[in-house]
Amino acid sequence: MSAPLQLRAGATDLQVDLNDTQIEQLMAYLGLLQKWGKVYNLTAVREEGEILTHHLLDSLAAVAPLRRQTAGRAVRLLDVGAGAGLPGVVIAICCPEIRVECLDAVAKKAAFVQQAAVTLGLKNLRGVHARVETVTESYEVVSSRAFASLADFVAGSDRALAAGGVWLAMKGKHPADEIASLPADVQVFHVEQLHVPGLAAQRCIVWMRRDRDSG
């Protein structure tokens, strides 16, 4: 099966409806990861099939859960420690109603995302070079993917989370120890198991919010 067909089939399995333009944008992004991955040290995975499963489909697995959470509203999302833009770029492609900012402390990685936004024509995507602790704007969703422990993630990004907002942390297996280490004012309201097509590994999303926002 060709990569575009595999991508479309995987998206269907993940209940993500993609049009032809979005498939083309995702494949173009895959090409950018291959072209610039080594130069910018973006990802250790460089083969097309592995990028497709380990990065694109893995990130696509978060799209339907995110849409259920936002109910299709126009929201702002900050992707912390985004690196090459995973899952932020994939979310920006699939969810044009969401304004995505991919934050990374490494300048060349933020620059790569900014260039991807231009190349792919994504007006709802921006690469930002900064540390999360310095962010002064607020976002309805703050996401991360294999970025840090849950406690470090929420502590570092607390100022960036809008009142009533949610944290979306993509993890491997259920991080029971990390959940137990969260401060008392952070509520885990759902741990959502994910199945990534073609990837034989455990994946989940830990959804969190401030306890004072839960009412």
Side-chain angles (χ1 to χ4, degrees), residues 32-72:
L32 290 173
L33 287 172
Q34 281 188 297
K35 181 178 180 180
W36 298 107
K38 189 172 184 179
V39 177
Y40 287 107
N41 193 27
L42 297 173
T43 170
V45 178
R46 307 243 163 82
E47 190 267 322
E48 181 181 77
E50 283 193 304
I51 293 175
L52 187 59
T53 55
H54 289 65
H55 290 325
L56 295 194
L57 291 176
D58 191 65
S59 295
L60 268 172
V63 170
L66 174 62
R67 274 238 166 99
R68 286 192 291 270
Q69 185 63 39
T70 62

PDB file of all heavy atoms in Angstrom, residues 32-72:
ATOM      1  N   LEU A  32       9.140  16.965   4.345  1.00  0.00           N
ATOM      2  CA  LEU A  32       9.985  17.948   5.031  1.00  0.00           C
ATOM      3  C   LEU A  32      10.747  17.305   6.181  1.00  0.00           C
ATOM      4  O   LEU A  32      11.919  17.610   6.418  1.00  0.00           O
ATOM      5  CB  LEU A  32       9.123  19.102   5.559  1.00  0.00           C
ATOM      6  CG  LEU A  32       8.505  20.043   4.521  1.00  0.00           C
ATOM      7  CD1 LEU A  32       7.552  21.019   5.188  1.00  0.00           C
ATOM      8  CD2 LEU A  32       9.594  20.794   3.758  1.00  0.00           C
ATOM      9  N   LEU A  33      10.073  16.405   6.918  1.00  0.00           N
ATOM     10  CA  LEU A  33      10.746  15.701   8.009  1.00  0.00           C
ATOM     11  C   LEU A  33      11.903  14.856   7.483  1.00  0.00           C
ATOM     12  O   LEU A  33      12.971  14.792   8.096  1.00  0.00           O
ATOM     13  CB  LEU A  33       9.748  14.814   8.757  1.00  0.00           C
ATOM     14  CG  LEU A  33       8.725  15.518   9.647  1.00  0.00           C
ATOM     15  CD1 LEU A  33       7.697  14.522  10.164  1.00  0.00           C
ATOM     16  CD2 LEU A  33       9.416  16.224  10.812  1.00  0.00           C
ATOM     17  N   GLN A  34      11.678  14.211   6.338  1.00  0.00           N
ATOM     18  CA  GLN A  34      12.744  13.405   5.738  1.00  0.00           C
ATOM     19  C   GLN A  34      13.896  14.285   5.252  1.00  0.00           C
ATOM     20  O   GLN A  34      15.070  13.973   5.467  1.00  0.00           O
ATOM     21  CB  GLN A  34      12.193  12.597   4.557  1.00  0.00           C
ATOM     22  CG  GLN A  34      11.433  11.349   4.951  1.00  0.00           C
ATOM     23  CD  GLN A  34      11.082  10.512   3.730  1.00  0.00           C
ATOM     24  OE1 GLN A  34      10.340  10.948   2.857  1.00  0.00           O
ATOM     25  NE2 GLN A  34      11.630   9.317   3.658  1.00  0.00           N
ATOM     26  N   LYS A  35      13.544  15.392   4.618  1.00  0.00           N
ATOM     27  CA  LYS A  35      14.560  16.258   4.002  1.00  0.00           C
ATOM     28  C   LYS A  35      15.428  16.959   5.050  1.00  0.00           C
ATOM     29  O   LYS A  35      16.652  17.033   4.911  1.00  0.00           O
ATOM     30  CB  LYS A  35      13.883  17.302   3.118  1.00  0.00           C
ATOM     31  CG  LYS A  35      14.846  18.242   2.418  1.00  0.00           C
ATOM     32  CD  LYS A  35      14.116  19.214   1.511  1.00  0.00           C
ATOM     33  CE  LYS A  35      15.085  20.152   0.800  1.00  0.00           C
ATOM     34  NZ  LYS A  35      14.375  21.111  -0.085  1.00  0.00           N
ATOM     35  N   TRP A  36      14.779  17.463   6.087  1.00  0.00           N
ATOM     36  CA  TRP A  36      15.474  18.297   7.060  1.00  0.00           C
ATOM     37  C   TRP A  36      15.752  17.603   8.388  1.00  0.00           C
ATOM     38  O   TRP A  36      16.411  18.182   9.262  1.00  0.00           O
ATOM     39  CB  TRP A  36      14.670  19.575   7.315  1.00  0.00           C
ATOM     40  CG  TRP A  36      14.522  20.416   6.100  1.00  0.00           C
ATOM     41  CD1 TRP A  36      13.394  20.599   5.358  1.00  0.00           C
ATOM     42  CD2 TRP A  36      15.536  21.173   5.442  1.00  0.00           C
ATOM     43  NE1 TRP A  36      13.635  21.422   4.288  1.00  0.00           N
ATOM     44  CE2 TRP A  36      14.952  21.793   4.318  1.00  0.00           C
ATOM     45  CE3 TRP A  36      16.897  21.394   5.702  1.00  0.00           C
ATOM     46  CZ2 TRP A  36      15.667  22.608   3.461  1.00  0.00           C
ATOM     47  CZ3 TRP A  36      17.613  22.209   4.837  1.00  0.00           C
ATOM     48  CH2 TRP A  36      17.001  22.809   3.739  1.00  0.00           C
ATOM     49  N   GLY A  37      15.258  16.371   8.534  1.00  0.00           N
ATOM     50  CA  GLY A  37      15.397  15.671   9.809  1.00  0.00           C
ATOM     51  C   GLY A  37      16.823  15.537  10.287  1.00  0.00           C
ATOM     52  O   GLY A  37      17.132  15.797  11.457  1.00  0.00           O
ATOM     53  N   LYS A  38      17.703  15.163   9.381  1.00  0.00           N
ATOM     54  CA  LYS A  38      19.099  14.961   9.769  1.00  0.00           C
ATOM     55  C   LYS A  38      19.810  16.290   9.992  1.00  0.00           C
ATOM     56  O   LYS A  38      20.572  16.456  10.951  1.00  0.00           O
ATOM     57  CB  LYS A  38      19.827  14.143   8.709  1.00  0.00           C
ATOM     58  CG  LYS A  38      21.220  13.688   9.125  1.00  0.00           C
ATOM     59  CD  LYS A  38      21.812  12.717   8.123  1.00  0.00           C
ATOM     60  CE  LYS A  38      23.171  12.203   8.604  1.00  0.00           C
ATOM     61  NZ  LYS A  38      23.755  11.222   7.655  1.00  0.00           N
ATOM     62  N   VAL A  39      19.526  17.243   9.110  1.00  0.00           N
ATOM     63  CA  VAL A  39      20.185  18.554   9.194  1.00  0.00           C
ATOM     64  C   VAL A  39      19.874  19.242  10.528  1.00  0.00           C
ATOM     65  O   VAL A  39      20.751  19.795  11.189  1.00  0.00           O
ATOM     66  CB  VAL A  39      19.732  19.457   8.024  1.00  0.00           C
ATOM     67  CG1 VAL A  39      20.347  20.853   8.148  1.00  0.00           C
ATOM     68  CG2 VAL A  39      20.119  18.836   6.687  1.00  0.00           C
ATOM     69  N   TYR A  40      18.595  19.195  10.905  1.00  0.00           N
ATOM     70  CA  TYR A  40      18.146  19.890  12.120  1.00  0.00           C
ATOM     71  C   TYR A  40      18.049  18.975  13.330  1.00  0.00           C
ATOM     72  O   TYR A  40      17.623  19.411  14.399  1.00  0.00           O
ATOM     73  CB  TYR A  40      16.778  20.533  11.865  1.00  0.00           C
ATOM     74  CG  TYR A  40      16.823  21.746  10.972  1.00  0.00           C
ATOM     75  CD1 TYR A  40      16.346  21.687   9.670  1.00  0.00           C
ATOM     76  CD2 TYR A  40      17.327  22.957  11.429  1.00  0.00           C
ATOM     77  CE1 TYR A  40      16.368  22.799   8.841  1.00  0.00           C
ATOM     78  CE2 TYR A  40      17.359  24.083  10.615  1.00  0.00           C
ATOM     79  CZ  TYR A  40      16.880  23.989   9.322  1.00  0.00           C
ATOM     80  OH  TYR A  40      16.908  25.087   8.516  1.00  0.00           O
ATOM     81  N   ASN A  41      18.407  17.706  13.163  1.00  0.00           N
ATOM     82  CA  ASN A  41      18.290  16.726  14.249  1.00  0.00           C
ATOM     83  C   ASN A  41      16.865  16.718  14.805  1.00  0.00           C
ATOM     84  O   ASN A  41      16.634  16.773  16.012  1.00  0.00           O
ATOM     85  CB  ASN A  41      19.290  17.033  15.372  1.00  0.00           C
ATOM     86  CG  ASN A  41      19.420  15.890  16.361  1.00  0.00           C
ATOM     87  OD1 ASN A  41      19.201  14.726  16.015  1.00  0.00           O
ATOM     88  ND2 ASN A  41      19.745  16.207  17.599  1.00  0.00           N
ATOM     89  N   LEU A  42      15.899  16.619  13.884  1.00  0.00           N
ATOM     90  CA  LEU A  42      14.494  16.728  14.257  1.00  0.00           C
ATOM     91  C   LEU A  42      13.950  15.440  14.856  1.00  0.00           C
ATOM     92  O   LEU A  42      13.156  15.455  15.787  1.00  0.00           O
ATOM     93  CB  LEU A  42      13.652  17.101  13.029  1.00  0.00           C
ATOM     94  CG  LEU A  42      13.951  18.453  12.383  1.00  0.00           C
ATOM     95  CD1 LEU A  42      13.162  18.598  11.099  1.00  0.00           C
ATOM     96  CD2 LEU A  42      13.630  19.586  13.344  1.00  0.00           C
ATOM     97  N   THR A  43      14.355  14.319  14.280  1.00  0.00           N
ATOM     98  CA  THR A  43      13.817  13.039  14.712  1.00  0.00           C
ATOM     99  C   THR A  43      14.799  11.931  14.366  1.00  0.00           C
ATOM    100  O   THR A  43      15.496  11.997  13.355  1.00  0.00           O
ATOM    101  CB  THR A  43      12.453  12.752  14.048  1.00  0.00           C
ATOM    102  OG1 THR A  43      12.076  11.396  14.303  1.00  0.00           O
ATOM    103  CG2 THR A  43      12.498  12.969  12.548  1.00  0.00           C
ATOM    104  N   ALA A  44      14.832  10.917  15.202  1.00  0.00           N
ATOM    105  CA  ALA A  44      15.719   9.775  14.942  1.00  0.00           C
ATOM    106  C   ALA A  44      15.133   8.867  13.865  1.00  0.00           C
ATOM    107  O   ALA A  44      15.850   8.069  13.260  1.00  0.00           O
ATOM    108  CB  ALA A  44      15.938   8.985  16.227  1.00  0.00           C
ATOM    109  N   VAL A  45      13.826   8.996  13.619  1.00  0.00           N
ATOM    110  CA  VAL A  45      13.150   8.172  12.616  1.00  0.00           C
ATOM    111  C   VAL A  45      13.212   8.884  11.274  1.00  0.00           C
ATOM    112  O   VAL A  45      12.744  10.014  11.150  1.00  0.00           O
ATOM    113  CB  VAL A  45      11.683   7.924  13.028  1.00  0.00           C
ATOM    114  CG1 VAL A  45      10.957   7.115  11.964  1.00  0.00           C
ATOM    115  CG2 VAL A  45      11.623   7.208  14.367  1.00  0.00           C
ATOM    116  N   ARG A  46      13.785   8.238  10.256  1.00  0.00           N
ATOM    117  CA  ARG A  46      13.984   8.927   8.968  1.00  0.00           C
ATOM    118  C   ARG A  46      13.365   8.190   7.775  1.00  0.00           C
ATOM    119  O   ARG A  46      13.236   8.751   6.705  1.00  0.00           O
ATOM    120  CB  ARG A  46      15.494   9.088   8.707  1.00  0.00           C
ATOM    121  CG  ARG A  46      16.233   9.748   9.875  1.00  0.00           C
ATOM    122  CD  ARG A  46      16.850  11.080   9.500  1.00  0.00           C
ATOM    123  NE  ARG A  46      17.186  11.854  10.695  1.00  0.00           N
ATOM    124  CZ  ARG A  46      18.285  11.688  11.406  1.00  0.00           C
ATOM    125  NH1 ARG A  46      19.184  10.805  11.059  1.00  0.00           N
ATOM    126  NH2 ARG A  46      18.503  12.430  12.475  1.00  0.00           N
ATOM    127  N   GLU A  47      12.978   6.929   7.951  1.00  0.00           N
ATOM    128  CA  GLU A  47      12.415   6.149   6.846  1.00  0.00           C
ATOM    129  C   GLU A  47      10.928   6.459   6.726  1.00  0.00           C
ATOM    130  O   GLU A  47      10.227   6.626   7.724  1.00  0.00           O
ATOM    131  CB  GLU A  47      12.655   4.650   7.135  1.00  0.00           C
ATOM    132  CG  GLU A  47      12.334   3.726   5.976  1.00  0.00           C
ATOM    133  CD  GLU A  47      10.919   3.214   6.047  1.00  0.00           C
ATOM    134  OE1 GLU A  47      10.432   2.929   7.151  1.00  0.00           O
ATOM    135  OE2 GLU A  47      10.287   3.132   4.983  1.00  0.00           O
ATOM    136  N   GLU A  48      10.444   6.557   5.467  1.00  0.00           N
ATOM    137  CA  GLU A  48       9.080   7.028   5.220  1.00  0.00           C
ATOM    138  C   GLU A  48       8.023   6.246   6.000  1.00  0.00           C
ATOM    139  O   GLU A  48       7.160   6.823   6.660  1.00  0.00           O
ATOM    140  CB  GLU A  48       8.759   6.951   3.724  1.00  0.00           C
ATOM    141  CG  GLU A  48       7.358   7.443   3.391  1.00  0.00           C
ATOM    142  CD  GLU A  48       7.037   7.335   1.916  1.00  0.00           C
ATOM    143  OE1 GLU A  48       6.745   6.205   1.446  1.00  0.00           O
ATOM    144  OE2 GLU A  48       7.083   8.375   1.226  1.00  0.00           O
ATOM    145  N   GLY A  49       8.105   4.920   5.958  1.00  0.00           N
ATOM    146  CA  GLY A  49       7.107   4.100   6.632  1.00  0.00           C
ATOM    147  C   GLY A  49       7.098   4.309   8.128  1.00  0.00           C
ATOM    148  O   GLY A  49       6.028   4.345   8.757  1.00  0.00           O
ATOM    149  N   GLU A  50       8.283   4.473   8.704  1.00  0.00           N
ATOM    150  CA  GLU A  50       8.373   4.689  10.155  1.00  0.00           C
ATOM    151  C   GLU A  50       7.879   6.076  10.544  1.00  0.00           C
ATOM    152  O   GLU A  50       7.217   6.235  11.570  1.00  0.00           O
ATOM    153  CB  GLU A  50       9.816   4.490  10.632  1.00  0.00           C
ATOM    154  CG  GLU A  50      10.240   3.042  10.733  1.00  0.00           C
ATOM    155  CD  GLU A  50      11.548   2.903  11.495  1.00  0.00           C
ATOM    156  OE1 GLU A  50      12.539   3.536  11.078  1.00  0.00           O
ATOM    157  OE2 GLU A  50      11.576   2.190  12.506  1.00  0.00           O
ATOM    158  N   ILE A  51       8.200   7.087   9.747  1.00  0.00           N
ATOM    159  CA  ILE A  51       7.685   8.429  10.019  1.00  0.00           C
ATOM    160  C   ILE A  51       6.166   8.409   9.974  1.00  0.00           C
ATOM    161  O   ILE A  51       5.488   9.010  10.817  1.00  0.00           O
ATOM    162  CB  ILE A  51       8.242   9.458   9.005  1.00  0.00           C
ATOM    163  CG1 ILE A  51       9.747   9.644   9.198  1.00  0.00           C
ATOM    164  CG2 ILE A  51       7.533  10.810   9.164  1.00  0.00           C
ATOM    165  CD1 ILE A  51      10.393  10.546   8.168  1.00  0.00           C
ATOM    166  N   LEU A  52       5.625   7.667   9.005  1.00  0.00           N
ATOM    167  CA  LEU A  52       4.173   7.584   8.845  1.00  0.00           C
ATOM    168  C   LEU A  52       3.500   7.017  10.092  1.00  0.00           C
ATOM    169  O   LEU A  52       2.546   7.603  10.617  1.00  0.00           O
ATOM    170  CB  LEU A  52       3.844   6.730   7.621  1.00  0.00           C
ATOM    171  CG  LEU A  52       2.382   6.654   7.188  1.00  0.00           C
ATOM    172  CD1 LEU A  52       1.831   8.030   6.865  1.00  0.00           C
ATOM    173  CD2 LEU A  52       2.233   5.732   5.997  1.00  0.00           C
ATOM    174  N   THR A  53       4.014   5.892  10.595  1.00  0.00           N
ATOM    175  CA  THR A  53       3.376   5.256  11.751  1.00  0.00           C
ATOM    176  C   THR A  53       3.784   5.906  13.071  1.00  0.00           C
ATOM    177  O   THR A  53       2.938   6.256  13.893  1.00  0.00           O
ATOM    178  CB  THR A  53       3.710   3.750  11.810  1.00  0.00           C
ATOM    179  OG1 THR A  53       5.132   3.575  11.794  1.00  0.00           O
ATOM    180  CG2 THR A  53       3.090   3.013  10.647  1.00  0.00           C
ATOM    181  N   HIS A  54       5.095   6.093  13.281  1.00  0.00           N
ATOM    182  CA  HIS A  54       5.589   6.558  14.570  1.00  0.00           C
ATOM    183  C   HIS A  54       5.309   8.039  14.832  1.00  0.00           C
ATOM    184  O   HIS A  54       5.285   8.460  15.989  1.00  0.00           O
ATOM    185  CB  HIS A  54       7.098   6.315  14.688  1.00  0.00           C
ATOM    186  CG  HIS A  54       7.473   4.871  14.847  1.00  0.00           C
ATOM    187  ND1 HIS A  54       7.250   3.941  13.860  1.00  0.00           N
ATOM    188  CD2 HIS A  54       8.029   4.191  15.873  1.00  0.00           C
ATOM    189  CE1 HIS A  54       7.672   2.753  14.283  1.00  0.00           C
ATOM    190  NE2 HIS A  54       8.148   2.880  15.495  1.00  0.00           N
ATOM    191  N   HIS A  55       5.138   8.819  13.769  1.00  0.00           N
ATOM    192  CA  HIS A  55       4.927  10.251  13.954  1.00  0.00           C
ATOM    193  C   HIS A  55       3.565  10.738  13.454  1.00  0.00           C
ATOM    194  O   HIS A  55       2.785  11.296  14.221  1.00  0.00           O
ATOM    195  CB  HIS A  55       6.052  11.043  13.279  1.00  0.00           C
ATOM    196  CG  HIS A  55       7.374  10.905  13.970  1.00  0.00           C
ATOM    197  ND1 HIS A  55       7.490  10.783  15.331  1.00  0.00           N
ATOM    198  CD2 HIS A  55       8.648  10.885  13.486  1.00  0.00           C
ATOM    199  CE1 HIS A  55       8.765  10.679  15.674  1.00  0.00           C
ATOM    200  NE2 HIS A  55       9.483  10.733  14.566  1.00  0.00           N
ATOM    201  N   LEU A  56       3.259  10.514  12.162  1.00  0.00           N
ATOM    202  CA  LEU A  56       2.017  11.070  11.628  1.00  0.00           C
ATOM    203  C   LEU A  56       0.784  10.378  12.213  1.00  0.00           C
ATOM    204  O   LEU A  56      -0.112  11.039  12.744  1.00  0.00           O
ATOM    205  CB  LEU A  56       1.993  10.984  10.097  1.00  0.00           C
ATOM    206  CG  LEU A  56       3.038  11.807   9.337  1.00  0.00           C
ATOM    207  CD1 LEU A  56       2.667  11.893   7.863  1.00  0.00           C
ATOM    208  CD2 LEU A  56       3.192  13.206   9.909  1.00  0.00           C
ATOM    209  N   LEU A  57       0.720   9.044  12.114  1.00  0.00           N
ATOM    210  CA  LEU A  57      -0.451   8.346  12.645  1.00  0.00           C
ATOM    211  C   LEU A  57      -0.506   8.437  14.166  1.00  0.00           C
ATOM    212  O   LEU A  57      -1.580   8.554  14.759  1.00  0.00           O
ATOM    213  CB  LEU A  57      -0.454   6.884  12.192  1.00  0.00           C
ATOM    214  CG  LEU A  57      -0.712   6.667  10.694  1.00  0.00           C
ATOM    215  CD1 LEU A  57      -0.602   5.183  10.335  1.00  0.00           C
ATOM    216  CD2 LEU A  57      -2.084   7.205  10.281  1.00  0.00           C
ATOM    217  N   ASP A  58       0.658   8.402  14.800  1.00  0.00           N
ATOM    218  CA  ASP A  58       0.705   8.556  16.258  1.00  0.00           C
ATOM    219  C   ASP A  58       0.109   9.898  16.672  1.00  0.00           C
ATOM    220  O   ASP A  58      -0.661   9.992  17.635  1.00  0.00           O
ATOM    221  CB  ASP A  58       2.158   8.436  16.734  1.00  0.00           C
ATOM    222  CG  ASP A  58       2.273   8.314  18.243  1.00  0.00           C
ATOM    223  OD1 ASP A  58       1.798   7.300  18.782  1.00  0.00           O
ATOM    224  OD2 ASP A  58       2.841   9.213  18.875  1.00  0.00           O
ATOM    225  N   SER A  59       0.448  10.958  15.947  1.00  0.00           N
ATOM    226  CA  SER A  59      -0.108  12.279  16.246  1.00  0.00           C
ATOM    227  C   SER A  59      -1.576  12.373  15.834  1.00  0.00           C
ATOM    228  O   SER A  59      -2.387  13.003  16.537  1.00  0.00           O
ATOM    229  CB  SER A  59       0.698  13.363  15.523  1.00  0.00           C
ATOM    230  OG  SER A  59       2.024  13.419  16.016  1.00  0.00           O
ATOM    231  N   LEU A  60      -1.928  11.746  14.719  1.00  0.00           N
ATOM    232  CA  LEU A  60      -3.326  11.742  14.270  1.00  0.00           C
ATOM    233  C   LEU A  60      -4.254  11.102  15.295  1.00  0.00           C
ATOM    234  O   LEU A  60      -5.434  11.436  15.367  1.00  0.00           O
ATOM    235  CB  LEU A  60      -3.451  10.980  12.943  1.00  0.00           C
ATOM    236  CG  LEU A  60      -3.346  11.774  11.640  1.00  0.00           C
ATOM    237  CD1 LEU A  60      -3.299  10.821  10.455  1.00  0.00           C
ATOM    238  CD2 LEU A  60      -4.508  12.737  11.493  1.00  0.00           C
ATOM    239  N   ALA A  61      -3.709  10.192  16.105  1.00  0.00           N
ATOM    240  CA  ALA A  61      -4.520   9.517  17.119  1.00  0.00           C
ATOM    241  C   ALA A  61      -5.084  10.491  18.141  1.00  0.00           C
ATOM    242  O   ALA A  61      -6.071  10.183  18.826  1.00  0.00           O
ATOM    243  CB  ALA A  61      -3.697   8.437  17.817  1.00  0.00           C
ATOM    244  N   ALA A  62      -4.487  11.663  18.253  1.00  0.00           N
ATOM    245  CA  ALA A  62      -4.963  12.665  19.218  1.00  0.00           C
ATOM    246  C   ALA A  62      -6.050  13.558  18.648  1.00  0.00           C
ATOM    247  O   ALA A  62      -6.718  14.280  19.405  1.00  0.00           O
ATOM    248  CB  ALA A  62      -3.794  13.528  19.693  1.00  0.00           C
ATOM    249  N   VAL A  63      -6.256  13.533  17.334  1.00  0.00           N
ATOM    250  CA  VAL A  63      -7.148  14.505  16.694  1.00  0.00           C
ATOM    251  C   VAL A  63      -8.611  14.296  17.076  1.00  0.00           C
ATOM    252  O   VAL A  63      -9.293  15.245  17.496  1.00  0.00           O
ATOM    253  CB  VAL A  63      -6.966  14.482  15.162  1.00  0.00           C
ATOM    254  CG1 VAL A  63      -8.055  15.311  14.480  1.00  0.00           C
ATOM    255  CG2 VAL A  63      -5.589  15.018  14.787  1.00  0.00           C
ATOM    256  N   ALA A  64      -9.117  13.083  16.947  1.00  0.00           N
ATOM    257  CA  ALA A  64     -10.526  12.846  17.297  1.00  0.00           C
ATOM    258  C   ALA A  64     -10.794  13.100  18.775  1.00  0.00           C
ATOM    259  O   ALA A  64     -11.796  13.768  19.109  1.00  0.00           O
ATOM    260  CB  ALA A  64     -10.942  11.426  16.890  1.00  0.00           C
ATOM    261  N   PRO A  65      -9.941  12.640  19.697  1.00  0.00           N
ATOM    262  CA  PRO A  65     -10.154  12.987  21.103  1.00  0.00           C
ATOM    263  C   PRO A  65     -10.135  14.493  21.358  1.00  0.00           C
ATOM    264  O   PRO A  65     -10.938  15.011  22.154  1.00  0.00           O
ATOM    265  CB  PRO A  65      -8.984  12.286  21.811  1.00  0.00           C
ATOM    266  CG  PRO A  65      -8.655  11.125  20.937  1.00  0.00           C
ATOM    267  CD  PRO A  65      -8.862  11.638  19.543  1.00  0.00           C
ATOM    268  N   LEU A  66      -9.236  15.206  20.684  1.00  0.00           N
ATOM    269  CA  LEU A  66      -9.157  16.662  20.844  1.00  0.00           C
ATOM    270  C   LEU A  66     -10.440  17.316  20.351  1.00  0.00           C
ATOM    271  O   LEU A  66     -10.993  18.212  21.012  1.00  0.00           O
ATOM    272  CB  LEU A  66      -7.953  17.207  20.091  1.00  0.00           C
ATOM    273  CG  LEU A  66      -7.800  18.728  20.041  1.00  0.00           C
ATOM    274  CD1 LEU A  66      -7.637  19.308  21.440  1.00  0.00           C
ATOM    275  CD2 LEU A  66      -6.610  19.114  19.166  1.00  0.00           C
ATOM    276  N   ARG A  67     -10.917  16.867  19.211  1.00  0.00           N
ATOM    277  CA  ARG A  67     -12.148  17.447  18.658  1.00  0.00           C
ATOM    278  C   ARG A  67     -13.342  17.185  19.584  1.00  0.00           C
ATOM    279  O   ARG A  67     -14.223  18.044  19.726  1.00  0.00           O
ATOM    280  CB  ARG A  67     -12.403  16.862  17.267  1.00  0.00           C
ATOM    281  CG  ARG A  67     -11.655  17.628  16.156  1.00  0.00           C
ATOM    282  CD  ARG A  67     -12.679  18.117  15.169  1.00  0.00           C
ATOM    283  NE  ARG A  67     -12.136  19.121  14.268  1.00  0.00           N
ATOM    284  CZ  ARG A  67     -11.709  18.859  13.035  1.00  0.00           C
ATOM    285  NH1 ARG A  67     -11.665  17.615  12.603  1.00  0.00           N
ATOM    286  NH2 ARG A  67     -11.303  19.841  12.256  1.00  0.00           N
ATOM    287  N   ARG A  68     -13.379  16.009  20.194  1.00  0.00           N
ATOM    288  CA  ARG A  68     -14.461  15.732  21.137  1.00  0.00           C
ATOM    289  C   ARG A  68     -14.375  16.679  22.333  1.00  0.00           C
ATOM    290  O   ARG A  68     -15.388  17.148  22.852  1.00  0.00           O
ATOM    291  CB  ARG A  68     -14.418  14.281  21.611  1.00  0.00           C
ATOM    292  CG  ARG A  68     -14.887  13.273  20.572  1.00  0.00           C
ATOM    293  CD  ARG A  68     -15.109  11.898  21.175  1.00  0.00           C
ATOM    294  NE  ARG A  68     -13.861  11.252  21.582  1.00  0.00           N
ATOM    295  CZ  ARG A  68     -13.133  10.477  20.796  1.00  0.00           C
ATOM    296  NH1 ARG A  68     -13.495  10.270  19.538  1.00  0.00           N
ATOM    297  NH2 ARG A  68     -12.025   9.909  21.250  1.00  0.00           N
ATOM    298  N   GLN A  69     -13.158  16.970  22.751  1.00  0.00           N
ATOM    299  CA  GLN A  69     -12.956  17.840  23.908  1.00  0.00           C
ATOM    300  C   GLN A  69     -13.323  19.291  23.607  1.00  0.00           C
ATOM    301  O   GLN A  69     -13.918  19.983  24.434  1.00  0.00           O
ATOM    302  CB  GLN A  69     -11.495  17.757  24.372  1.00  0.00           C
ATOM    303  CG  GLN A  69     -11.175  18.524  25.624  1.00  0.00           C
ATOM    304  CD  GLN A  69     -11.921  18.015  26.853  1.00  0.00           C
ATOM    305  OE1 GLN A  69     -12.084  16.820  27.027  1.00  0.00           O
ATOM    306  NE2 GLN A  69     -12.393  18.925  27.683  1.00  0.00           N
ATOM    307  N   THR A  70     -12.971  19.762  22.412  1.00  0.00           N
ATOM    308  CA  THR A  70     -13.222  21.165  22.061  1.00  0.00           C
ATOM    309  C   THR A  70     -14.595  21.368  21.413  1.00  0.00           C
ATOM    310  O   THR A  70     -15.028  22.512  21.257  1.00  0.00           O
ATOM    311  CB  THR A  70     -12.146  21.688  21.091  1.00  0.00           C
ATOM    312  OG1 THR A  70     -12.190  20.926  19.870  1.00  0.00           O
ATOM    313  CG2 THR A  70     -10.754  21.572  21.711  1.00  0.00           C
ATOM    314  N   ALA A  71     -15.227  20.262  21.027  1.00  0.00           N
ATOM    315  CA  ALA A  71     -16.549  20.321  20.382  1.00  0.00           C
ATOM    316  C   ALA A  71     -16.534  21.220  19.142  1.00  0.00           C
ATOM    317  O   ALA A  71     -17.526  21.889  18.832  1.00  0.00           O
ATOM    318  CB  ALA A  71     -17.606  20.793  21.383  1.00  0.00           C
ATOM    319  N   GLY A  72     -15.393  21.218  18.441  1.00  0.00           N
ATOM    320  CA  GLY A  72     -15.294  21.974  17.198  1.00  0.00           C
ATOM    321  C   GLY A  72     -15.157  23.476  17.371  1.00  0.00           C
ATOM    322  O   GLY A  72     -15.234  24.223  16.391  1.00  0.00           O
TER     323      GLY A  72
END
